[in-house]
Structures are given as structure tokens and as C-alpha cells.
Amino acid sequence: MPTPEPGPGPTPEPEPTPGPQSGPEPDGGTGPGPGARTLPDASRRSERSRRAIFDAALALVTENGYAKTTVEGIAARAGVGKQTIYRWWPSRAAVLLDAFLDLQARAAEAMGGDAGSEIPDTGDLAADLKHVLRATVDEMNAPAFEGPTRALAAEGITDPDLGARFTEALLEPQLQHYVRRIEAAREAGDVDPGTDPRLAVELLVGPLHHRWIHRTLPLTHAYADALVDHVLHGLAPRS
Amino acid sequence: MPTPEPGPGPTPEPEPTPGPQSGPEPDGGTGPGPGARTLPDASRRSERSRRAIFDAALALVTENGYAKTTVEGIAARAGVGKQTIYRWWPSRAAVLLDAFLDLQARAAEAMGGDAGSEIPDTGDLAADLKHVLRATVDEMNAPAFEGPTRALAAEGITDPDLGARFTEALLEPQLQHYVRRIEAAREAGDVDPGTDPRLAVELLVGPLHHRWIHRTLPLTHAYADALVDHVLHGLAPRS
Amino acid sequence: MPTPEPGPGPTPEPEPTPGPQSGPEPDGGTGPGPGARTLPDASRRSERSRRAIFDAALALVTENGYAKTTVEGIAARAGVGKQTIYRWWPSRAAVLLDAFLDLQARAAEAMGGDAGSEIPDTGDLAADLKHVLRATVDEMNAPAFEGPTRALAAEGITDPDLGARFTEALLEPQLQHYVRRIEAAREAGDVDPGTDPRLAVELLVGPLHHRWIHRTLPLTHAYADALVDHVLHGLAPRS
Amino acid sequence: MPTPEPGPGPTPEPEPTPGPQSGPEPDGGTGPGPGARTLPDASRRSERSRRAIFDAALALVTENGYAKTTVEGIAARAGVGKQTIYRWWPSRAAVLLDAFLDLQARAAEAMGGDAGSEIPDTGDLAADLKHVLRATVDEMNAPAFEGPTRALAAEGITDPDLGARFTEALLEPQLQHYVRRIEAAREAGDVDPGTDPRLAVELLVGPLHHRWIHRTLPLTHAYADALVDHVLHGLAPRS
DNA sequence: GGTTAAGCGAGACGGTACGTCGGGTCTTTTT
DNA sequence: AAAAAGACCCGACGTACCGTCTCGCTTAACC
């Protein structure tokens, strides 16, 4: 997962969370209904506090792990009142997710443009996929990413809403990059025309995640290469 | 994964956990050494309480979810003192893991013999794999199994020790069934002799788990079939 | 305490509190000195808000009791910003005190003139005192007055500043009415010439307040009468 | 109020509060009714914690005043969990009341016997009353007693339940001492046979409390003497 | 068969963190 | 320039559980 920016277009920061329900605006936009809970006014939000909260959350998760990261601790470290966290996020996990998305977005922006996240197309499909999968392997092994990512994945397994946000904002965009590259390969005749790109992607990414999540066997570049080789062999144009 | 019993041999119930370190006996067995923490005497353990704790834990996880399942709640529901839990398990997750293993073992026993957990070998590799993968899909979609399994998977992602126990006791035995079936197929000439059975298993199971964990797309029998077809195509003997 | 207006003369409304120090003007009047905290300009004060705050404060104390009456609640009910309260009063109790004084003043004005608050002098001292003490008893038993008065008394016990304001603005003027009536009686020869009017007043009022504050025994007209009889008997001209 | 022990008989310490409802056992003793909330088991109560809480509460009230004394602060100072306070008392004020009662009881015990709290009967009623009233004046002026007493009185004004407890445990026993002394005087012919002892007591104590509560004029021995003289003059036997 | 010692139900205890409330300050926009 | 609005930092609230620590009580195992 070489830190792709979460969407196809450029992401102007800040991207303020619209309300305490970390996610899309729950109110239909037809105005505050009778039962509508009074949402805070996002235009008055303190950008300073928002950044401090993100920084504190990421630092604490990295230092102490997710289980020992508390809302109270984040607030104290950020020099912020607890209420300022509860005003804008519904849970500790939601804070961390937004913090992580923010981190990804800034990293992508720093890398310059969105081109960095697209899978290159050198004409050699195997080489291109190996390049990206190896980068993903490296990222999964990097301590700085491992902590937050494991925490979010774990929370997403249990909490469907958060899992949906996680999948939508982080996972799917990545998978789509693979899908596009394989579609291009199909049009170029590098894989069988009947290939289902989505399934192909899952054949590549699924085993990788499986090892990472369950820590069954070490994640190496060699494993990434072997995966690509086997999958592409199965997808080769049939006679 | 149709509830295989965790080991190759018959498992006589009860299989009492030997100490508060949920796992193999940490003390060498040469008697309580000078610095050894006094472990409880497993022979005096109340089987009645152990079962009540398992039942309560599974019931509460199913009813309220893992996050709302507390040690205090389990103790109260089981009619047991808190200390009786802390005496035998180091954490809430360890209790749930043992409860789940117990459940699996009883289910396997009820199904009769250990043969039920081995992958059948009808000579048709694709059919055999589809049969088992479809069963796994059904299990993943079954609410009674989903709750505890998600909870354990999530906890295992974060807690390496528990994850190791989970992998070792539940996951690996299952994977080994696949490995043995594919090795048999290799010897029968049904797949390429250069096939790595372990990688092949991960190509089958990884995508399935990926969909289950991240809830990206629905888990269906058709998906299981497609997985088997694509993987076996890639493993076909290279003429 | 039949709602006497707080001073001997007519009180033209409004009587805006001059500054956030609820009390007499702390600034010497020579204008804002160099180190003087910048006080708000009372001439620009919104009479509308002031009245709304008083109404809200009294309503909330009556409805929910003093303990549950918050500055935030008063502001919300009055349709006023919190700062508008903090700008003009130093504490919740000060707001309530001013609100109560305002209520008293309006009640007195409504009763017409200031004569209503003076103790009548019919020539029969005992009858006059009984008349007024019975009215005081009735007021103490009236729920509408009991709530705010208890709250203010309680706060005054703890907070010396507020207690001084309370005593000065509400209590002393009442006591002075008694003092004047007893002085008149002394001049008329109805009580012993050596009588200390102040002490006499406290002998009448002290026991009444004692019962009210500590709720030891019921406050009745009979008790008021008995008090007057005993006290006057002790004050009777000595042969 | 020369620290009388709260009852006529000897008070064996400890006198544990029976439950979280600071007061007499609310359950009739007919067994736990269906709606009965589970009360803590007083026999397992930690005397050590109880004393530490009392000491901390009194120290904090004396040092910082009642308004700045928090449950959290008491718990921290006493080295006790907050829940241990909430388990046994319903409110901060109830803690302070029990702490104060405990203080009184210990002081009385230290003074030896219960005789110290009875009003002496030397045959000279005026002298006896002056002696006790002067002691009361001294106590009211003593800073160590003033803080907690004002706090409790204030809270009792607002909270009827606490006020009842305060009156019953502290005030009434004192008043009864006066009542008994005056009854003795009546039987001895020192006061008019028609005298109502209760009213006489309130004539003595009411004005004292009035000055103390409202801080109108200083509380002196001279005032105490004057009170006794005037009241006794009114009660003199009507020849 | 009586003693002893462990497991056990129960739950009080010192703590940590929760999520909420409100205090008092500050800033932005409106009147 | 005061006022309405409300976000902010902060402290305390009362609650829920944590994991530890006694209490009696029961129940073996060993005298």
C-alpha cells in the first residue's frame, strides 16, 4: 500500500469532517428536521485543535499501541478539552481513522500529484505488479504504519460502520488501481480476455493480507513475486 | 472450514487449560521452582464452573457483541466469582478463545469421529475443494459463528500472543487439511509437480478471508467456485 | 416579610447594576483609572436582556430548584449569550439576588407607594407586631418565595460577599421597620424605656428564622403570636 | 454548642452508616423486596477507608472551603477510589455530615463521658445559661468549626433530607439540653409555671443563630448575656 | 473422622477511563 | 460597542470495569 491518495482527484486540505457522525452528512440536507440533533457548526471549527488531535492520536498509537491509547490521553497530549474530541468524532477509532487518512493524504500530496499512486504501466505486467506488491509488503512491515493499520483493521472487523469507512476510504481506492492496470493488460492482450479483473486483484491481495493479519509466515519480496507469477500464469491467454 | 476438531487425534473431553497462562504449561513440570509463581492446582478445578463460564461467554458475545462483553458480566451470568476467571485465564479474549475451541471440539465430536474434518478425496480435486470452500462460506455467513470469530480475529490482529494461539489452534489445522489434499493431488498428477501447496492454499483461502474481513463484496458459493477454477487453472500441469 | 421595597424612598426602575462586581461601584467614580479593569458601559446595556435574564432565572429556580439552575440554562431560556450574563454579574447567585430584588421592587411598586412596607402603628404594639409577623410566616410558607429565598440564604451563609449584599438589601431594611416601630412604642411608653430595640427585634425574628431554616417545628400564626406575647411581656415597663 | 455527643447515651465507635442512603435503613427488614436495590454489605466495609475519607473531607473543607471540596479531591487525598465514596454516601454533603458527626463524637468521647454536654445546674439559671451560651458563641467564632458548620447549614437549607439529618443529629440534641434545664428551673420555681420550655429555648438560640447566619452584628459574650437577661426577665414568675 | 488447605461465590477495594455537564473565556458575526 | 451564538479548555461529575484482595463456605485429600 504505497500511500495512495484516497481519491482520484487532488485533495485540497483541510477536509473537515462534516459532523460528529464520522462519515457522510446524515441529514438529508433538507434543513434541520424536528428530531435533528443539533450539530456543531463546522465553519467555526478550530483547525489548530484538529491538527493537534491528529498528531497526538498517531503519536500515542505508535508509542503505546491502540489498546493503551485513550481519548483522555489524546486530549491531554493535544492540549485540548475532551469535549472537543467528542464534539467532532463518535469514537476513538473514528479519530484514528481520520488521523490516518489525513496522514495518507499529506504523504500523497508531499509525493507530488496523484500520479505517484497509480500503478505504472511499463508494458511488462508482471514487473509492474511485483513492483507495487513489493512496496506494499514493505509498508506492511514498516512499524510506523503497522500499528495504526492493525488497529483500524481490527476495529473495522468488529464495527461495521467503521469498517465500511475504512474500506471505502483506504482499501477500495487501492484495489481500483490494480483493477485499472489489469484492465489495461487485458486490452493489451497480456491476459486472457475472459479475465475478471476484480477476482484477479483479490487473488493477489488476499493472500498478502492473510499472511499479514494472521502472521502465519513472513511477508517477503519473494512471496510477492511468487504470488504474481502464479496468478499471472493462471490468467495467461489460453492458447 | 466445517468445524474440524483442532488436532489429528481424538480429543478426550475435558481438556482443562493447565494454568493462568492460557497455553502450554510454562513451568517445566519439575515441580514448583523457588521463584515460580504458585499456579493453581488443575486437578481441583471445578468443571462445573468452567462450562458455565464458556456458556456465559459465548452467549454474551452473541447477544451483545464482544465489545460489550465484560469479565464481570461473564462471571455474573455464569454464577461464578470473578477470581475464578482470573485464576485460569489471563484475559477476556483468552476466555473467549477457549470457549470457542470448546465449542468447535464439541461440534466436531457431535459430528462423529475426526474424519469429518478431513477434506474428502473423491479423485475430483476441483469438486472436493469447492465442497469445502462452500462450507466455509456458509460458516462465515452464519451469525452464530460470525460474532465470536470476528472478535477473536480482531483481537488477534492487535494482540500477537492471542493471534498466535488463534492461528495455531484454529487456522493452521484447517490449512493443513488443504495442504494434504493438494499434496495428494500433486502425487496423483492432478496439478503441476512444481506446485507449492502452501501457496496454493493461500490463493484459495486468502481472497475468501479478504472479503469476509473487509466486507467488500458478498461471500457466495459462486465466488468460492470461481476461486477454485481460477486457482486450479493456474496450477494445471504444464504440458 | 410582606415584600417591602428595599429602601425608604421610592425606587425608580430600572436600577441597573453598575458593573460586574454586583454591588456598589468599585471604581471611585473618577473615571477609568490606568490600572482599572475596563468595565462595560452601563449606558449601552440592553434593558431587554436584563429583564429576560431575571425572568429566566426566577422561572428556572422555581421550576427546578437552585442547584439545577445553571448559567447556561438561564442564558438559553432568556435567549441571551452566556457572555452577557458574565459581563454584568460575577456569579449565578448574584444574578438570582438581583432578580429577586427586582421582583420585590416590582411587587412593592405594584402594591402602591412605599407606605405598604412600613409597620402600621395603630397604638396597639402587640397587634401591630402580630400582624406583620403573621404576614412574614405566610410568606415563608409560600412556595414561590421559599425557593429563591432558601437558595439565597444558603449561598449567603457560605459566601460572605453575597451574604452581605443579601443582608443589606433585603434583611436589614426589614429589621429597621421593626426597630422604628419599637422605638415609637418606647417613646409612647408602651415598653420599658431601657429596652434595646435591636435586641427586641432579634428576639422576635430570630426564633422565626430558626424554625424556617432548620425546619424543626411548623411555622404557624399561633407561633408568631406566642413569640410576640412572650417578648413583649419581657419588655413590659417595669412597674 | 460545646461539642455535645449526639445522643444521651454513650456512643460506641465505630458507628457505621448502614447504607448509601445516609440515614436509617430504608428497607423494612422484611427481606429484599422486588424493587430493592442491592445495598453493599456493611460488614465487609473497610474501617480504614472510612476514617481516611473523614479525615480528608474535614481537612479539605477547612483548607479550601466547601465549594472547592470535591468528591474527587477527597478520594485522592484519602487514597481511596471514588466508588468507595459513592458506595456509602449519596452526596458530598452527606460525607461531610458524617465526618462532622464523627468528629463531634470523638471530641465528646475525648472530653470524657456524656456529662460534659449536659447544661450544669448550679441553682443559678441565668449563670448556667450564660455559661453555655458563651461557649456556643466561642464555638461559632472558632474557624475550625465555622467552615464545616456553615457548609452543612447551607446545604441543609436547600436539601431537606440532609437538613433533617443535620437537625436530628446535631441541633435537636443540643436544644433538648436547654429544654431539660429550663424544665428543671420551672420545677424549682425559678421561672413562671406557664413557661413553654421549647419556646424559651428558641428565644435564646434563635437570635444567636440569626446573627451568626446573617453576620449582621458581632457575636459576643455580652450579647449572650443580654439575651439571657431579657429572656429570663420575660419568664420571671408573675407574682 | 477430623484436620487442613485449596478452589470457590461473593463483592469491597484502589484505580483508570468513560462520556457528559457546566464554568468561565474567547472569537466571530450581527445589530 | 454591546449582544447572540457557540467553540474552546478545563475540571468535576457519577458510572462501568479492571484486576487484586479478602471473607466465609464447601470440598477433597491426607492424616
Side-chain angles (χ1 to χ4, degrees):
Chain A
M1 303 177 183
T3 61
E5 48 92 43
T11 308
E13 283 285 332
E15 182 195 8
T17 314
Q21 304 308 323
S22 188
E25 172 63 63
D27 193 346
T30 61
R37 139 176 350 204
T38 322
L39 294 180
D41 180 351
S43 71
R44 286 181 177 273
R45 185 169 184 180
S46 162
E47 176 63 14
R48 199 178 181 292
S49 298
R50 187 171 148 273
R51 299 310 309 271
I53 289 166
F54 287 165
D55 293 345
L58 291 173
L60 288 173
V61 167
T62 302
E63 289 171 19
N64 309 121
Y66 179 67
K68 289 182 188 168
T69 300
T70 66
V71 172
E72 222 153 55
I74 295 172
R77 172 99 158 219
V80 144
K82 274 201 289 181
Q83 199 61 42
T84 300
I85 295 182
Y86 285 112
R87 181 153 38 229
W88 300 109
W89 291 278
S91 71
R92 179 179 57 146
V95 175
L96 187 58
L97 174 55
D98 278 358
F100 198 65
L101 291 176
D102 179 76
L103 176 66
Q104 299 275 50
R106 272 183 294 159
E109 199 172 3
M111 273 206 284
D114 54 349
S117 62
E118 277 293 344
I119 297 177
D121 189 344
T122 66
D124 183 344
L125 177 60
D128 291 349
L129 290 177
K130 285 177 183 173
H131 176 75
V132 183
L133 273 197
R134 285 177 171 214
T136 300
V137 164
D138 289 343
E139 198 167 83
M140 282 173 160
N141 286 325
F145 277 80
E146 189 170 3
T149 314
R150 280 191 183 277
L152 287 170
E155 208 70 21
I157 288 178
T158 292
D159 177 344
D161 286 347
L162 190 96
R165 282 255 292 152
F166 176 79
T167 295
E168 176 191 344
L170 279 177
L171 187 60
E172 277 299 338
Q174 285 175 10
L175 299 185
Q176 289 309 315
H177 293 145
Y178 288 94
V179 165
R180 281 193 293 275
R181 180 65 186 84
I182 290 170
E183 281 173 342
R186 187 174 56 183
E187 282 161 24
D190 295 334
V191 298
D192 191 89
T195 298
D196 176 353
R198 176 77 195 194
L199 194 144
V201 169
E202 294 181 355
L203 281 170
L204 288 170
V205 167
L208 220 57
H209 283 203
H210 191 260
R211 282 205 174 180
W212 180 72
I213 283 181
H214 295 303
R215 301 186 187 83
T216 46
L217 293 172
L219 268 181
T220 61
H221 285 190
Y223 183 63
D225 292 352
L227 270 178
V228 171
D229 288 338
H230 276 77
V231 170
L232 290 191
H233 177 235
L235 299 180
R238 312 192 178 191
S239 65
Chain B
M1 302 175 188
T3 63
E5 47 90 42
T11 307
E13 283 284 331
E15 182 195 10
T17 314
Q21 303 309 319
S22 189
E25 172 65 64
D27 193 347
T30 62
R37 165 177 319 213
T38 324
L39 292 181
D41 180 352
S43 72
R44 306 190 121 213
R45 184 170 185 181
S46 161
E47 175 63 12
R48 199 177 181 291
S49 298
R50 187 171 149 275
R51 300 308 312 271
I53 289 165
F54 286 165
D55 292 346
L58 290 174
L60 287 174
V61 166
T62 302
E63 288 172 18
N64 311 118
Y66 179 67
K68 288 183 189 168
T69 300
T70 67
V71 172
E72 231 158 47
I74 295 172
R77 172 97 158 220
V80 143
K82 277 201 291 178
Q83 195 65 3
T84 301
I85 295 182
Y86 284 112
R87 184 154 33 230
W88 301 108
W89 291 277
S91 71
R92 177 179 57 148
V95 175
L96 186 57
L97 175 55
D98 278 359
F100 197 64
L101 290 176
D102 178 77
L103 177 65
Q104 298 274 48
R106 273 183 293 160
E109 199 174 3
M111 274 206 284
D114 55 349
S117 62
E118 277 293 344
I119 298 177
D121 188 345
T122 65
D124 182 345
L125 177 60
D128 291 350
L129 291 176
K130 286 177 183 174
H131 177 74
V132 183
L133 273 197
R134 284 177 171 214
T136 301
V137 163
D138 289 343
E139 198 167 83
M140 284 174 159
N141 286 326
F145 278 79
E146 188 170 5
T149 313
R150 281 191 182 276
L152 287 170
E155 207 69 19
I157 290 178
T158 291
D159 178 345
D161 287 347
L162 189 96
R165 282 257 292 150
F166 176 80
T167 296
E168 176 190 342
L170 279 176
L171 187 60
E172 277 298 336
Q174 287 174 8
L175 299 185
Q176 290 309 315
H177 293 148
Y178 288 94
V179 166
R180 280 193 294 277
R181 181 64 186 84
I182 289 170
E183 282 172 343
R186 188 173 55 184
E187 283 160 24
D190 294 335
V191 298
D192 191 87
T195 297
D196 176 353
R198 177 77 194 193
L199 194 144
V201 169
E202 294 181 356
L203 281 170
L204 288 170
V205 168
L208 220 57
H209 283 202
H210 191 261
R211 281 205 175 180
W212 180 70
I213 284 181
H214 296 301
R215 301 186 186 83
T216 45
L217 292 174
L219 270 181
T220 61
H221 285 189
Y223 183 63
D225 293 352
L227 270 179
V228 172
D229 288 338
H230 275 77
V231 170
L232 289 191
H233 176 234
L235 300 179
R238 313 191 181 190
S239 57
Chain C
M1 302 177 185
T3 62
E5 46 93 38
T11 306
E13 282 286 331
E15 182 192 10
T17 315
Q21 303 309 320
S22 189
E25 173 63 67
D27 193 348
T30 61
R37 166 175 320 212
T38 323
L39 294 178
D41 181 351
S43 71
R44 295 183 141 249
R45 184 170 186 180
S46 160
E47 175 62 14
R48 201 176 179 290
S49 298
R50 188 170 148 274
R51 300 309 311 272
I53 289 166
F54 287 165
D55 293 346
L58 291 173
L60 288 174
V61 166
T62 302
E63 288 171 19
N64 310 119
Y66 179 66
K68 290 184 189 168
T69 300
T70 67
V71 172
E72 228 158 49
I74 296 172
R77 172 96 159 223
V80 143
K82 277 203 288 181
Q83 196 60 31
T84 301
I85 294 181
Y86 284 113
R87 182 152 36 228
W88 300 107
W89 290 277
S91 71
R92 177 180 58 148
V95 175
L96 186 58
L97 175 55
D98 278 359
F100 198 64
L101 290 176
D102 177 77
L103 176 65
Q104 298 274 48
R106 274 183 292 159
E109 198 173 3
M111 274 206 285
D114 55 351
S117 62
E118 278 293 345
I119 298 177
D121 187 346
T122 65
D124 182 346
L125 177 61
D128 292 349
L129 290 177
K130 285 177 183 174
H131 177 74
V132 182
L133 273 196
R134 285 177 169 213
T136 300
V137 164
D138 290 342
E139 197 167 84
M140 283 173 159
N141 287 326
F145 278 79
E146 189 170 4
T149 314
R150 279 192 184 277
L152 287 170
E155 207 71 15
I157 289 178
T158 292
D159 177 345
D161 287 347
L162 190 95
R165 283 256 292 150
F166 176 80
T167 297
E168 176 190 344
L170 279 177
L171 187 61
E172 277 299 336
Q174 286 176 7
L175 299 184
Q176 289 309 316
H177 294 148
Y178 288 93
V179 167
R180 281 193 293 276
R181 181 64 186 85
I182 290 169
E183 281 173 342
R186 187 173 57 184
E187 282 160 25
D190 295 334
V191 298
D192 190 88
T195 297
D196 176 354
R198 177 76 195 195
L199 194 144
V201 169
E202 294 181 356
L203 281 170
L204 287 170
V205 167
L208 220 58
H209 282 203
H210 191 260
R211 283 205 173 181
W212 180 71
I213 282 181
H214 296 301
R215 301 184 186 84
T216 45
L217 293 173
L219 271 182
T220 61
H221 285 188
Y223 182 64
D225 292 353
L227 269 178
V228 171
D229 289 337
H230 276 76
V231 170
L232 289 191
H233 178 233
L235 300 179
R238 314 195 176 187
S239 61
Chain D
M1 303 174 185
T3 61
E5 47 90 44
T11 307
E13 282 285 330
E15 181 193 10
T17 315
Q21 303 309 321
S22 189
E25 171 64 60
D27 194 347
T30 60
R37 113 176 21 190
T38 321
L39 293 180
D41 180 350
S43 71
R44 288 183 179 276
R45 185 170 184 180
S46 163
E47 176 64 13
R48 199 180 181 291
S49 298
R50 188 172 148 273
R51 300 308 310 271
I53 288 165
F54 286 166
D55 293 345
L58 290 174
L60 288 174
V61 167
T62 302
E63 289 172 18
N64 310 120
Y66 179 67
K68 289 183 190 170
T69 300
T70 66
V71 172
E72 221 154 56
I74 296 172
R77 172 98 158 221
V80 143
K82 274 201 290 183
Q83 199 62 40
T84 300
I85 296 182
Y86 285 113
R87 179 152 41 228
W88 300 108
W89 291 278
S91 71
R92 177 179 59 147
V95 175
L96 186 58
L97 175 54
D98 278 358
F100 197 65
L101 290 176
D102 178 78
L103 176 66
Q104 299 273 49
R106 274 183 295 161
E109 199 172 2
M111 275 205 286
D114 54 352
S117 63
E118 276 293 343
I119 298 177
D121 188 344
T122 65
D124 183 345
L125 177 61
D128 292 349
L129 291 177
K130 285 176 183 174
H131 176 73
V132 182
L133 272 197
R134 284 176 170 214
T136 300
V137 163
D138 290 342
E139 197 168 83
M140 283 173 159
N141 287 326
F145 277 79
E146 188 170 5
T149 315
R150 279 192 184 276
L152 286 170
E155 207 70 21
I157 290 179
T158 292
D159 178 344
D161 287 347
L162 190 96
R165 283 254 293 150
F166 176 81
T167 296
E168 177 190 342
L170 279 176
L171 187 59
E172 277 299 336
Q174 286 175 7
L175 299 184
Q176 289 309 315
H177 293 146
Y178 287 94
V179 166
R180 282 192 293 275
R181 180 65 186 84
I182 290 170
E183 282 173 342
R186 188 174 55 184
E187 282 158 25
D190 295 335
V191 298
D192 191 88
T195 297
D196 175 355
R198 176 77 195 195
L199 193 144
V201 169
E202 293 182 355
L203 281 170
L204 287 170
V205 167
L208 220 58
H209 282 201
H210 192 261
R211 281 206 174 182
W212 180 72
I213 283 181
H214 296 301
R215 302 187 186 80
T216 46
L217 293 173
L219 270 182
T220 62
H221 286 188
Y223 182 63
D225 292 352
L227 269 178
V228 172
D229 288 338
H230 275 78
V231 170
L232 289 191
H233 177 235
L235 299 180
R238 315 192 179 189
S239 57

